[in-house]
Amino acid sequence: MGTVILDPFTVTLALTSVMLLLMIVIYAIVLSIRRARTSQFSEEMYIGGEGEDILSLKVPSVLALYWGIIRRSWRRAFDILRGAVHSGVLNEWYSYMNIWLSLLILLSIIAIVMSVRIR
Amino acid sequence: MDLLLLVVSALLFPGLVFLTSLALFSEWVYRKLTARMQNRMGPSYTGPMGVMQPFADLIKLLFAKEVKRQRYAAIGLAEIGLIISISSIVASLLLFPISPLRFAAPYDIIVLIYFYAVWHTIGIIIAVLAYPNPFTVTGLSRLIAITVVVEPAVFISLLIPVLLASNIGCAPQYSILCTAAWSWRLWLESPASFIAMALGLISVLIASQAKLGLKPFDIPEAEQELIAGHITEYSGTMLALYNLSHDIKLAFTALMVVYLFLGGPYPYRHLSTAGILLLIVKYLISLMILTVIRSSFGRLRIDQGLNIVAKYSLVPSIIGLMVSLIETFIL
């Protein structure tokens, strides 16, 4: 039993080697089980039940689906932001930019103070 | 460092064998509890009270069922992806005090994030993309959308106990080992610390529910819409590995909550009867909370799911982190 105190880099390397050891062991077990049990029976089948010429036209890409989801779920936040920036009044645009830059300055001050305190 | 102890820790306790057993037991607990909540029997016949049923399911998938080849499938790649996702979680268990050989380093919370979030997610994505299909593609896009919101919530909430524990002087700073040993004191340390821990606990439980893909966040699998979403094409060994990976993630997440938020067996020792009992009780409580949430809700739509995670997990975790920053650097 024991605790090994190292630096983060060495811990990462040690745990990566543990992960590799585990991968080799699990892969050996899986390979020994799987080899005899692979079925070629349904290789030509496609689970959508459609021919490939139809499927290749109808399926949107992962990226398009992802952005679709993000756009739908963040639409409200986007509308609020657009309403704030694109009101057509120059003063509102100035105040929006001021708020945003103040937030950035505040965050940077917090980061500097934290780094000084941690040191 | 004792190499034999390292191998035993990685493969037996608390490594592969122990975590697999714990994962299968956890699956039984949550299946049984869900069934009782829904007025069903749940697993009943295999072993006492059906406790061996998840093990029997695993054996059946491994030894009795075939792996169906799909036209464009890369079976080897899918297996490697799933094995990466399992082994990254098992390896990160060596950062926790439950292991006989424990690794610790200053700032090793980053190492936990590297294994628990980065490698695990990469493994799952490799495995899913190895079986191209309209349903898997749709499931994966939903999975990635959820991951993008959930992972920040999980890790902001994990930062809370780590930050607070380092503030009261535990060493090595910002490490999992010292946070796990000191987290029970954080609840009693100060009112601000209590508030931050409570917000972190709520946030991590909701985010874990989404990370594990349990209801109401089982959106990537969505049976009625996508057949089985990102795991539609899996069968035999592949499905067994995916289920095992999911159960191991469930067990690890519950253990992580127990150690980093509920204090593990402390103030008792690991090898004392009181310590072991306390650890088991806390583990079952965190598992029960995840199960009760799972059994009480229906599936949400993807945009509803993202909004719920952002509202009830991401925002509380950010507030909790701010409270703990105030506690650490100002008070």
Side-chain angles (χ1 to χ4, degrees):
Chain A
M1 296 234 180
T3 306
V4 183
I5 297 176
L6 302 161
D7 60 294
F9 185 67
T10 320
V11 167
T12 313
L13 283 180
L15 290 188
T16 308
S17 15
V18 169
M19 190 177 136
L20 280 174
L21 170 75
L22 285 162
M23 280 176 66
I24 292 166
V25 170
I26 303 171
Y27 195 65
I29 296 169
V30 167
L31 211 62
S32 62
I33 295 168
R34 190 251 295 170
R35 187 161 284 166
R37 295 178 206 287
T38 307
S39 154
Q40 307 284 338
F41 176 69
S42 60
E43 190 164 2
E44 293 302 313
M45 281 169 66
Y46 212 65
I47 206 148
E50 299 278 3
E52 275 181 45
D53 48 335
I54 296 173
L55 280 171
S56 62
L57 292 174
K58 298 268 181 183
V59 180
S61 68
V62 178
L63 207 63
L65 283 167
Y66 171 73
W67 282 116
I69 291 165
I70 293 297
R71 210 172 292 152
R72 206 195 306 167
S73 63
W74 290 93
R75 176 156 289 169
R76 231 178 99 74
F78 175 72
D79 285 346
I80 292 167
L81 275 179
R82 195 181 52 183
V85 184
H86 290 278
S87 62
V89 182
L90 198 59
N91 276 346
E92 282 184 9
W93 184 80
Y94 275 132
S95 57
Y96 170 77
M97 290 306 282
N98 275 330
I99 290 166
W100 179 235
L101 288 174
S102 321
L103 183 70
L104 286 182
I105 290 168
L106 191 68
L107 283 178
S108 53
I109 291 170
I110 289 172
I112 291 164
V113 169
M114 274 175 66
S115 62
V116 170
R117 285 295 295 266
I118 287 168
R119 242 177 253 159
Chain B
M1 193 194 327
D2 191 346
L3 203 63
L4 184 68
L5 190 58
L6 179 67
V7 173
V8 168
S9 303
L11 295 180
L12 297 178
F13 183 85
L16 194 61
V17 174
F18 171 75
L19 199 59
T20 304
S21 320
L22 186 68
L24 295 176
F25 172 74
S26 309
E27 194 198 328
W28 174 78
V29 170
Y30 96 102
R31 275 170 68 177
K32 193 77 179 170
L33 198 60
T34 307
R36 295 313 299 149
M37 282 183 74
Q38 295 168 346
N39 215 7
R40 295 185 285 115
M41 279 171 70
S44 302
Y45 300 111
T46 323
M49 291 177 73
V51 73
M52 297 300 283
Q53 190 60 52
F55 183 68
D57 291 345
L58 185 74
I59 294 294
K60 184 187 75 182
L61 284 174
L62 283 176
F63 293 101
K65 298 287 179 185
E66 289 175 329
V67 176
K68 298 274 185 216
R69 271 188 188 280
Q70 189 245 49
R71 191 159 180 179
Y72 301 107
I75 291 183
L77 201 62
E79 274 172 354
I80 289 172
L82 291 170
I83 289 168
I84 287 175
S85 73
I86 292 174
S87 49
S88 62
I89 293 216
V90 179
S92 49
L93 203 58
L94 298 192
L95 290 169
F96 284 81
I98 193 170
S99 174
L101 183 69
R102 302 170 283 264
F103 287 97
Y107 300 96
D108 69 7
I109 175 78
I110 308 292
V111 183
L112 177 71
I113 292 172
Y114 175 65
F115 283 100
Y116 180 54
V118 179
W119 271 115
H120 179 78
T121 313
I122 287 176
I124 293 282
I125 290 174
I126 290 174
V128 172
L129 286 179
Y131 268 95
N133 171 299
F135 299 110
T136 50
V137 164
T138 315
L140 181 63
S141 67
R142 292 177 177 199
L143 186 71
I144 294 172
I146 289 180
T147 306
V148 167
V149 185
V150 162
E151 295 298 351
V154 171
F155 290 107
I156 292 171
S157 45
L158 288 187
L159 276 178
I160 295 169
V162 172
L163 201 65
L164 289 171
S166 295
N167 184 41
I168 56 173
C170 83
Q173 266 206 326
Y174 305 104
S175 71
I176 298 297
L177 194 70
C178 88
T179 309
W182 289 46
S183 63
W184 66 278
R185 298 184 195 189
L186 301 174
W187 292 92
L188 313 168
E189 189 64 19
S190 71
S193 173
F194 179 87
I195 292 169
M197 286 295 281
L199 286 169
L201 181 60
I202 293 167
S203 163
V204 82
L205 284 172
I206 294 171
S208 304
Q209 194 83 12
K211 191 173 163 67
L212 290 162
L214 302 177
K215 275 189 174 61
F217 303 105
D218 59 337
I219 309 162
E221 286 183 32
E223 290 167 0
Q224 290 83 355
E225 304 166 50
L226 303 177
I227 303 182
H230 61 298
I231 54 168
T232 301
E233 295 280 1
Y234 288 169
S235 54
T237 325
M238 218 69 72
L239 189 59
L241 278 177
Y242 179 82
N243 288 347
L244 188 62
S245 156
H246 178 268
D247 291 346
I248 280 180
K249 189 161 60 168
L250 173 74
F252 178 80
T253 307
L255 261 183
M256 192 176 71
V257 171
V258 167
Y259 272 106
L260 296 185
F261 287 90
L262 303 178
Y266 302 103
Y268 304 105
R269 288 172 57 245
H270 269 93
L271 293 177
S272 64
T273 318
I276 292 170
L277 280 178
L278 200 58
L279 193 64
I280 293 172
V281 168
K282 284 177 181 174
Y283 181 81
L284 288 176
I285 288 173
S286 64
L287 200 62
M288 205 172 77
I289 294 170
L290 291 173
T291 314
V292 168
I293 297 174
R294 179 203 181 226
S295 320
S296 311
F297 293 95
R299 185 186 313 122
L300 295 166
R301 225 172 42 223
I302 179 75
D303 54 323
Q304 291 172 331
L306 291 179
N307 285 340
I308 294 281
V309 174
K311 217 182 277 177
Y312 297 108
S313 182
L314 192 59
V315 172
S317 66
I318 292 170
I319 296 171
L321 185 66
M322 284 162 88
V323 173
S324 54
L325 281 173
I326 291 167
E327 165 79 12
T328 309
F329 294 110
I330 297 172
L331 295 179

